Amino acid sequence: MKISAKGLYAVKAMIYIARHATDEPVSLSEIASEENISRKYLEQIMHTLSSAQLVVATRGKLGGYRLALPPSEISMFMILKATENSLSPGSSNEEQHICSVSIDPDLWKGLGDAIRSYLSDITLATILKDTQAQ
């Protein structure tokens, strides 16, 4: 399993929005500038996160993005699931061809379940709490 740049940038953007949550939406330009992400690429990512109902977009001069749920209800799994093609290990043909040893599919399923469980336990609130403690 690899996490793409899109997935990593989505996590960074969501943490930024959670950290700067107020009554006003956070502008795309602000997120792009502060997190050093191309605005055009961030637009695509935010559209994906909006489609997954993780953020709410507000249009207009004072528009931007807000979390659709409280930070305690948005997990890393939810963010990565929205942006990645697959979070399952050993599922790609490339990985299967590299390994000439036959591996029981249940091994991959168990590993995938462990990854899902781990990422589901880490919420934006957890990350905010951990970064404030440092």
Side-chain angles (χ1 to χ4, degrees):
M1 177 188 100
K2 285 185 189 177
I3 297 176
S4 68
K6 183 177 184 179
L8 293 174
Y9 289 156
V11 168
K12 286 176 72 171
M14 292 292 284
I15 292 169
Y16 188 87
I17 294 168
R19 186 174 288 131
H20 296 88
T22 64
D23 291 336
E24 300 297 320
V26 181
S27 77
L28 189 73
S29 296
E30 179 183 342
I31 301 167
S33 174
E34 292 296 319
E35 293 300 327
N36 199 26
I37 304 170
S38 155
R39 181 182 162 90
K40 193 155 189 79
Y41 193 42
L42 186 58
E43 285 175 359
Q44 295 171 17
I45 293 168
M46 297 311 291
H47 177 74
T48 300
L49 294 172
S50 181
S51 295
Q53 299 179 340
L54 296 176
V55 295
V56 176
T58 304
R59 293 179 177 249
K61 184 179 178 182
L62 299 175
Y65 293 89
R66 278 183 247 165
L67 298 179
L69 302 166
S72 61
E73 294 180 25
I74 300 176
S75 70
M76 291 300 104
F77 178 73
M78 293 166 72
I79 298 167
L80 293 172
K81 181 181 174 194
T83 57
E84 299 297 316
N85 289 331
S86 172
L87 291 174
S88 300
S91 62
S92 75
N93 287 334
E94 181 181 318
E95 290 170 359
Q96 291 174 4
H97 289 300
I98 291 171
C99 183
S100 61
V101 177
S102 178
I103 297 176
D104 185 350
D106 288 340
L107 175 86
W108 296 124
K109 183 186 176 319
L111 181 55
D113 291 346
I115 291 168
R116 252 184 309 287
S117 175
Y118 179 76
L119 292 174
S120 292
D121 287 343
I122 302 170
T123 66
L124 290 175
T126 306
I127 291 171
L128 292 177
K129 182 180 152 198
D130 289 347
T131 57
Q132 290 172 351
Q134 294 176 1

